[in-house]
Amino acid sequence: DTLTLNDLYGTSFYFNGNAAGGQETVTVNDTHTTGQTNIELENNGASNNESVTLNNAHSGSLRIRTYAGNDTVVINDTNTVGNTLIITNNESDTITVNGAGTEMNGTTTLTLDDQGNLNDTFNIGGPVGAGNLDNIKISVTVSGDSNFDRLNINDELSGKDRTFDTTASTISVDGSQIVSYDTTFEDIVFNTGGGDDTVSIFGGTVPSSVTLNDTGDNLTLAGTPNIGGNLTVNSELTLDAPTVTTTGNQTYNANVTLAQTASVTGSNVTFVGTVDSTDGSQGLEATAATGTATFFGDIGVGMELSSFDVTSSAVLGGVTPGAGFLVDAGQDDGLNNRWEDVSGGTTGFDFELD
């Protein structure tokens, strides 16, 4: 079934796509009803993949609901006087918001509610790799389900320096809230780029894992991140936070520069790249609460650290401390210094130079 609404006027509109087979495709170019525009894609329980594209809406309110199948919903803009509500059910669905509220400027609402039971993806700002948050003018309310749901914040193409303030239930960009989310999400992914971007996490525990991907100039993690899952950083990072705490693992897959002395605590803590300070006055303490703190790259060689402590089991350079790992922390004697274990055990390491 195919439905295209180019311009819809009247008091209200109802469409029920109830076909038992075949894919249903709905394109809404604009609506102007004073009441609710309601689109139901039921499929008589058949597992059909449904596609909905909303280019704009000016209705009193708009409600679109999909059912069985891996459904795709694309929202290019909505400016309803009332709420725009998108409900998806059952299988793995993808909802992408390219723009919202560009005309209403904060006086309309958009709610994305997944009521299914499989893995779903919510893209805010556009698809992954082509996002731009300039056209997100309102806060989008998102709710996942009981399985693995991912919330992607995509801004790779904006070319702007951004600040992403993240709390336990909201995400703001440059001071304006763009997302309100609940505890059903298993992963929040920031795909940033084009400028100097800062992700600041504060105000309680983020109830999901957090992933940082940056294609721009510089990426900074700030605030006092407290994350109820894993933290994965896939780009070079400036760490400007006194503490980083995760209930799961912390993995830094590229070089890290310390802008202040930091204490990082997770189940396992892994630094794949180098660790350096900004000017020699910043240090690092790493604690793996249930596993191992692992460092594969040089520590303090580019710029020495003021201090370096591992208060749990540790592996440096893929080997145990003292087996020939190049470091420089607090000294600059021109020698290829090596770590020495001065605690006499495999836990509670406190390192000093030979």
Side-chain angles (χ1 to χ4, degrees):
D1 297 331
T2 299
L3 172 68
T4 301
L5 299 179
N6 290 318
D7 248 331
L8 184 66
Y9 289 86
T11 56
S12 62
F13 176 80
Y14 178 81
F15 171 80
N16 188 352
N18 203 21
Q23 177 175 313
E24 296 178 326
T25 301
V26 174
T27 302
V28 181
N29 291 322
D30 206 352
T31 61
H32 301 274
T33 57
T34 56
Q36 183 178 80
T37 297
N38 191 25
I39 299 173
E40 299 267 351
L41 304 178
E42 292 188 27
N43 286 333
N44 276 331
S47 184
N48 301 327
N49 300 331
E50 298 157 345
S51 175
V52 178
T53 300
L54 173 61
N55 290 320
N56 205 344
H58 293 89
S59 301
S61 60
L62 172 64
R63 181 179 182 271
I64 300 175
R65 182 166 189 158
T66 67
Y67 288 82
N70 300 322
D71 303 322
T72 300
V73 179
V74 177
I75 302 170
N76 290 320
D77 202 2
T78 180
N79 294 282
T80 57
V81 176
N83 186 36
T84 296
L85 173 62
I86 309 295
I87 303 174
T88 57
N89 286 75
N90 294 327
E91 300 179 33
S92 298
D93 304 316
T94 300
I95 303 177
T96 299
V97 183
N98 294 315
T102 60
E103 300 173 30
M104 305 294 284
N105 198 24
T107 59
T108 187
T109 59
L110 172 61
T111 301
L112 312 178
D113 184 10
D114 178 67
Q115 298 179 1
N117 53 13
L118 288 178
N119 306 335
D120 303 294
T121 301
F122 297 74
N123 294 314
I124 306 300
V128 173
N132 188 337
L133 293 170
D134 283 348
N135 286 328
I136 307 298
K137 302 297 186 182
I138 59 174
S139 180
V140 181
T141 300
V142 294
S143 178
D145 58 30
S146 58
N147 277 42
F148 187 92
D149 296 317
R150 172 170 288 147
L151 174 61
N152 292 320
I153 308 299
N154 301 324
D155 193 48
E156 302 94 331
L157 300 185
S158 74
K160 296 180 179 179
D161 298 343
R162 300 278 204 195
T163 298
F164 299 82
D165 291 330
T166 305
T167 71
S169 60
T170 63
I171 299 172
S172 298
V173 176
D174 299 334
S176 297
Q177 183 175 312
I178 64 164
V179 170
S180 173
Y181 67 95
D182 61 18
T183 60
T184 59
F185 288 91
E186 282 69 38
D187 196 14
I188 299 176
V189 181
F190 293 88
N191 294 306
T192 60
D196 297 334
D197 297 310
T198 298
V199 177
S200 183
I201 302 175
F202 56 90
T205 301
V206 173
S208 67
S209 295
V210 174
T211 301
L212 305 182
N213 303 311
D214 185 70
T215 59
D217 297 330
N218 297 289
L219 175 65
T220 299
L221 177 61
T224 53
N226 193 343
I227 297 170
N230 301 320
L231 170 64
T232 304
V233 182
N234 295 317
S235 313
E236 291 195 0
L237 179 74
T238 297
L239 183 55
D240 192 8
T243 59
V244 180
T245 304
T246 58
T247 60
N249 300 325
Q250 292 184 35
T251 305
Y252 302 85
N253 285 314
N255 299 339
V256 174
T257 301
L258 303 172
Q260 61 176 293
T261 295
S263 174
V264 298
T265 303
S267 295
N268 292 280
V269 177
T270 302
F271 287 82
V272 175
T274 61
V275 180
D276 293 296
S277 69
T278 301
D279 57 17
S281 64
Q282 298 83 23
L284 178 67
E285 178 182 272
T287 302
T290 60
T292 303
T294 303
F295 294 80
F296 288 102
D298 294 336
I299 301 172
V301 173
M303 175 58 71
E304 63 191 23
L305 274 61
S306 62
S307 62
F308 177 61
D309 297 304
V310 179
T311 62
S312 61
S313 297
V315 175
L316 299 179
V319 296
T320 56
F325 187 73
L326 178 64
V327 297
D328 186 358
Q331 297 186 39
D332 187 13
D333 53 15
L335 301 176
N336 289 337
N337 298 300
R338 303 176 190 278
W339 288 116
E340 177 185 5
D341 173 17
V342 297
S343 68
T346 58
T347 61
F349 282 86
D350 184 11
F351 297 96
E352 67 180 9
L353 289 173
D354 286 343

